[in-house]
Amino acid sequence: MSKNRNIAASMGLLSVAGLGLVGCNQPAAEQAAKKPNIVFIMSDDHAFQAISAYGHEGLNKTPNIDRIAKEGAIFNRAFVTNSICAPSRAVMLTGKHSFKNGKVDNVQPFDWNQNNFPKLLQQNGYQTALIGKIHLDGLPQGFDFSAVLPGQGHYYNPEFIINGEKQTIPGYVTDLTTEMSLKWLKERDPNKPFCLLYHQKAPHREWLPAERHYKEYTKMTFKEPETLFDDYEGRGRAAHEQEMNILKDQNWSGDSKVRPEVMDELGIPQTLTWDKAAFKSNLGRMDEKQRAAWDAVYDPIIDEFKKNYPNMSQEDLMHWRFQRYMQDYLGCIAAVDDGVGQMLDFLKENGLDENTIVVYTSDQGFYLGEHGWFDKRFMYEESFRMPLLIKYPKEIKPGTVIDELVQNIDFAPTFLDYAGVEIPADMQGVSMRKLMSKEASEWRDAIYYTYYEYPSIHMVKRHYGVRTDRYKLIHFYYDIDEWELYDLEKDPQEMKNVYDDPAYADVQKMMHTRLTELREKYGDSDANDQRFLKEYLDVVKQ
């Protein structure tokens, strides 16, 4: 049986060959009267810097994702409310800040019983599906069909939980997620509008590209960011005490793909207790053919490293680890971009593109060596800012550029607005519809951020803050009490904290006022911070 037939059988989908594909042979007037379809594509940890539509072709090329920007809108100031996987997805579903939907970190459970936008669309005649990564425990609610990865999922031969039943499907996870999504679109009810959440695991750590891409990307050399060797002078303890430095904190085996036996021969200790275990587990999922192809490419790279290691300085090692990181990270994105191309082609070929809203985003931003870092969590720009591209030919003109401040709380109300569904009063976001059609006369002038998962991996301290068009104010708390203020116009890389600079006294006062206003507006408080801290510590101590 072919892989596609295996997927079809696993999904339990009925053949609708006799019905034909949606959009075929339907009068234009009938199509125009229909509610818009929604294809919401979300990747995991995809930095905006790694999308060429944002002007970063020197680092990476994403021709298919770029098509969405060319045919629709690109957002230059889209941000998350909490830069970590599960909480970001909870915000996306509910349209509410983490402290309102209850999912403040990766530890606390998520309450699926609360409202989410797929539930509301489903109740209003939409056929809904969630395929890929959601990283929220429990059976997803609001979907006619779900095929989700357990937890973080695996790159090779992954398990999917398909309508509650766990099954292992052979293949590469990014391609499988795309194939399942396209198959669901082909076999859905053609008489209903649809909302498909097509969510990729990639490019989440530990970055295992598909064979067709690692053969290419491991030969490439990528430009280093200016701040790769940042010493954090001019910033507070939070920047100094993090544990997300590429050289010091990435796993040698799990992340850089140095074989465990080579680590032993060279006397390289594990970075984390699961360093070697991650390598063995991830590659151990491969079948014999997959592993042979992998070893044929990666073994020579690591053998060369083994030969050079005794003579490499710390600076040399940082250069080497950065390149290894980028080769695998960007190689994973290449498969995501392939899938976006397949999705856009399918919609066009089947007459669905004119009446379908297509969104590409990530659950948060990511560090690609800026400040020497990988991962996310901080309110600094690279992890705070997410990519966002949206096309909808009926209302969004090609090449639209949007510079207003938007956040992931805005997704849910936007989709409901387009679908003609009443937006619940407890949703804290705002529909971006008129922003994209250039009809909005007013928009927010500041956004609010929170981060809670500390002490934990990467040791990014608890903090909250406010960002305006030009300035950013951050408060780090719990085991420290420090404030940071940045002038993003003069210091876009956030290298100098000007909180105590007398020249910024008026700005500091203004930003404190804006922060107080936003905390009151959204319903956040110090009491919330203390409650979530206690709940978190109670769980991690168990």
Side-chain angles (χ1 to χ4, degrees):
M1 184 179 288
S2 70
K3 178 172 68 175
N4 285 344
R5 290 190 178 183
N6 275 329
I7 293 173
S10 298
M11 292 173 71
L13 296 174
L14 300 175
S15 172
V16 290
L19 294 175
L21 295 176
V22 177
C24 296
N25 304 316
Q26 290 183 322
E30 185 179 342
Q31 282 287 327
K34 286 192 170 186
K35 291 185 175 183
N37 305 307
I38 300 166
V39 175
F40 183 35
I41 311 169
M42 176 179 277
S43 54
D44 194 302
D45 292 345
H46 190 173
F48 73 90
Q49 313 94 287
I51 293 178
S52 45
Y54 281 105
H56 297 276
E57 287 192 11
L59 178 65
N60 197 32
K61 293 184 179 181
T62 50
N64 293 302
I65 296 171
D66 293 357
R67 286 166 59 186
I68 302 175
K70 291 174 183 176
E71 297 173 17
I74 184 168
F75 290 73
N76 288 324
R77 292 190 175 112
F79 298 90
V80 293
T81 56
N82 184 353
S83 186
I84 188 169
C85 296
S88 174
R89 294 163 193 276
V91 170
M92 171 271 294
L93 288 167
T94 65
K96 296 184 287 188
H97 277 274
S98 300
F99 48 86
K100 285 294 185 182
N101 68 50
K103 185 62 176 171
V104 300
D105 52 45
N106 279 340
V107 173
Q108 301 297 335
F110 175 66
D111 179 13
W112 278 104
N113 292 320
Q114 64 187 301
N115 242 339
N116 65 44
F117 80 83
K119 281 187 186 180
L120 295 170
L121 293 178
Q122 189 182 47
Q123 292 164 13
N124 284 271
Y126 273 74
Q127 189 172 18
T128 58
L130 167 60
I131 300 175
K133 183 172 180 180
I134 193 62
H135 201 205
L136 296 170
D137 292 339
L139 184 65
Q141 295 183 26
F143 302 96
D144 300 304
F145 175 80
S146 63
V148 300
L149 297 164
Q152 298 289 1
H154 294 97
Y155 277 104
Y156 280 84
N157 306 321
E159 293 98 0
F160 281 86
I161 301 174
I162 301 177
N163 286 342
E165 180 184 347
K166 184 182 288 188
Q167 301 178 38
T168 299
I169 301 179
Y172 185 66
V173 67
T174 306
D175 298 340
L176 294 172
T177 302
T178 299
E179 290 167 12
M180 285 186 178
S181 296
L182 293 174
K183 185 163 285 293
W184 181 82
L185 287 175
K186 293 174 185 177
E187 302 188 1
R188 66 189 174 80
D189 183 346
N191 297 309
K192 292 182 178 181
F194 63 82
C195 175
L196 167 63
L197 273 59
Y198 160 40
H199 287 190
Q200 294 287 13
K201 166 187 170 61
H204 193 278
R205 191 182 188 186
E206 281 97 10
W207 314 300
L208 275 69
E211 179 182 347
R212 64 186 183 277
H213 293 129
Y214 65 66
K215 286 182 175 179
E216 175 187 3
Y217 277 75
T218 52
K219 297 176 183 177
M220 295 182 180
T221 300
F222 299 95
K223 183 180 178 181
E224 297 176 351
E226 295 176 5
T227 59
L228 183 64
F229 291 94
D230 193 351
D231 62 5
Y232 316 117
E233 182 181 355
R235 280 141 295 167
R237 284 178 55 190
H240 284 82
E241 296 178 14
Q242 48 66 38
E243 295 179 1
M244 44 196 283
N245 182 273
I246 292 171
L247 175 59
K248 298 176 183 177
D249 301 310
Q250 274 193 2
N251 283 330
W252 283 94
S253 193
D255 294 329
S256 295
K257 313 305 189 298
V258 177
R259 299 188 304 275
E261 63 272 19
V262 172
M263 286 179 63
D264 293 340
E265 290 177 43
L266 297 175
I268 300 174
Q270 292 194 107
T271 304
L272 297 168
T273 57
W274 42 274
D275 187 342
K276 296 177 182 178
F279 179 94
K280 294 174 182 177
S281 173
N282 291 333
L283 272 65
R285 300 190 63 82
M286 296 178 177
D287 62 30
E288 187 175 342
K289 183 179 179 182
Q290 291 167 337
R291 183 60 187 269
W294 178 277
D295 288 346
V297 172
Y298 282 83
D299 280 358
I301 295 171
I302 303 308
D303 289 343
E304 180 71 12
F305 169 76
K306 177 182 173 182
K307 181 177 71 175
N308 295 331
Y309 179 78
N311 298 315
M312 294 173 75
S313 66
Q314 292 295 293
E315 185 174 322
D316 293 334
L317 289 170
M318 178 59 123
H319 292 309
W320 185 85
R321 298 204 76 181
F322 172 79
Q323 294 301 329
R324 279 276 53 253
Y325 171 32
M326 287 298 93
Q327 289 165 356
D328 290 346
Y329 176 90
L330 298 175
C332 288
I333 289 172
V336 175
D337 191 69
D338 290 345
V340 171
Q342 292 176 54
M343 178 61 69
L344 295 176
D345 290 346
F346 175 87
L347 294 173
K348 188 172 184 64
E349 290 165 4
N350 291 284
L352 293 165
D353 57 327
E354 288 295 316
N355 195 42
T356 299
I357 300 163
V358 179
V359 179
Y360 185 86
T361 190
S362 178
D363 53 352
Q364 60 254 328
F366 213 67
Y367 291 99
L368 305 184
E370 299 87 2
H371 310 293
W373 295 340
F374 69 108
D375 206 69
K376 56 258 185 178
R377 302 165 195 266
F378 273 116
M379 195 184 169
Y380 303 135
E381 288 291 282
E382 290 84 1
S383 65
F384 184 28
R385 181 179 169 188
M386 65 183 181
L388 179 59
L389 310 97
I390 304 177
K391 69 182 286 283
Y392 181 40
K394 285 188 177 180
E395 294 192 19
I396 306 172
K397 293 181 180 180
T400 296
V401 177
I402 297 174
D403 291 321
E404 283 82 359
L405 299 165
V406 303
Q407 286 192 284
N408 52 347
I409 50 171
D410 299 326
F411 287 133
T414 299
F415 296 141
L416 295 176
D417 186 5
Y418 275 119
V421 177
E422 183 178 355
I423 300 170
D426 64 346
M427 282 193 176
Q428 297 179 304
V430 180
S431 172
M432 299 180 287
R433 184 177 184 176
K434 289 187 176 180
L435 200 60
M436 289 184 280
S437 63
K438 296 298 183 179
E439 298 175 72
S441 58
E442 295 183 357
W443 193 253
R444 65 168 68 94
D445 63 357
I447 52 176
Y448 183 58
Y449 180 84
T450 58
Y451 177 76
Y452 302 90
E453 194 166 303
Y454 175 88
S456 184
I457 185 172
H458 300 305
M459 299 301 283
V460 172
K461 296 184 184 295
R462 291 171 177 257
H463 60 289
Y464 58 84
V466 58
R467 186 200 195 279
T468 65
D469 181 63
R470 177 170 176 175
Y471 301 106
K472 182 184 296 181
L473 177 68
I474 310 173
H475 181 215
F476 293 97
Y477 66 95
Y478 172 44
D479 61 341
I480 62 173
D481 182 11
E482 293 186 358
W483 292 86
E484 295 184 3
L485 176 65
Y486 295 96
D487 183 339
L488 300 170
E489 183 177 292
K490 294 183 177 179
D491 180 24
Q493 294 178 323
E494 299 167 297
M495 302 292 284
K496 183 181 180 182
N497 174 19
V498 295
Y499 186 80
D500 293 320
D501 186 336
Y504 285 87
D506 289 342
V507 173
Q508 184 204 104
K509 182 178 178 180
M510 178 272 292
M511 291 297 285
H512 271 285
T513 299
R514 297 299 290 119
L515 180 61
T516 299
E517 291 171 348
L518 287 184
R519 279 168 72 83
E520 290 177 355
K521 174 183 176 178
Y522 291 125
D524 200 11
S525 64
D526 291 344
N528 276 346
D529 298 336
Q530 294 305 310
R531 175 166 65 90
F532 291 125
L533 171 62
K534 182 180 184 303
E535 291 175 357
Y536 176 80
L537 294 176
D538 287 345
V539 172
V540 298
K541 287 177 182 177
Q542 292 178 1

